[in-house]
Amino acid sequence: MLGLTVLLLSLVAFRVTRFILEDSLIEEPREWVRRKLIGMPSSMAKPMPVWRRKLLEIIECPWCMSVWVSAGTVALAFFTWDAPRPPLFWEWLFVCGGSIILYHLAEKLAD
């Protein structure tokens, strides 16, 4: 049962991560956020603040985004779903690893 719980949460985290990073449904808002983080061309003379660079990295990197989405998925499941589960930290790591494996499998199948 623990494996099924982790698998289901990994599938949820994978799908939410893929939705945020790649789905065309939110392409315009995603590009708007990316442009806002990068800044206007006139401001390119000065370096981008660290917090902007890190946030931009999170919204462009499947590994980075899956860590945060998995944390939210596990937290939501912890408070709403009464199922047998491993300790919270381990569950988060299992779900994060499972979601990124699924993400890369989907990438390979799409090629």
Side-chain angles (χ1 to χ4, degrees), residues 31-101:
E31 289 303 316
W32 180 83
V33 169
R34 188 174 285 127
R35 283 193 307 270
K36 288 293 182 182
L37 287 173
I38 291 172
M40 297 299 201
S42 61
S43 66
M44 294 305 254
K46 57 184 178 179
M48 189 185 306
V50 173
W51 68 270
R52 280 188 171 185
R53 273 188 287 138
K54 294 300 179 185
L55 196 53
L56 187 62
E57 185 177 326
I58 287 172
I59 67 170
E60 291 181 340
C61 169
W63 287 82
C64 306
M65 182 61 77
S66 71
V67 168
W68 294 103
V69 169
S70 296
T73 303
V74 168
L76 185 65
F78 180 77
F79 290 112
T80 60
W81 189 16
D82 188 27
R85 55 177 23 101
L88 196 58
F89 176 74
W90 291 109
E91 183 178 20
W92 172 58
L93 288 179
F94 295 152
V95 170
C96 183
S99 69
I100 202 64
I101 288 170

Side-chain angles (χ1 to χ4, degrees), residues 1 5 7 9-10 14-15 21 23 26 30 36 41 47-49 54 57-58 70 74 81 88 94-95 104 107 109 111:
M1 189 68 181
T5 302
L7 177 64
L9 292 177
S10 295
F14 154 72
R15 188 61 198 118
L21 293 178
D23 274 5
I26 62 166
R30 184 175 50 241
K36 288 293 182 182
M48 189 185 306
K54 294 300 179 185
E57 185 177 326
I58 287 172
S70 296
V74 168
W81 189 16
L88 196 58
F94 295 152
V95 170
H104 285 293
E107 291 291 312
L109 292 173
D111 291 340

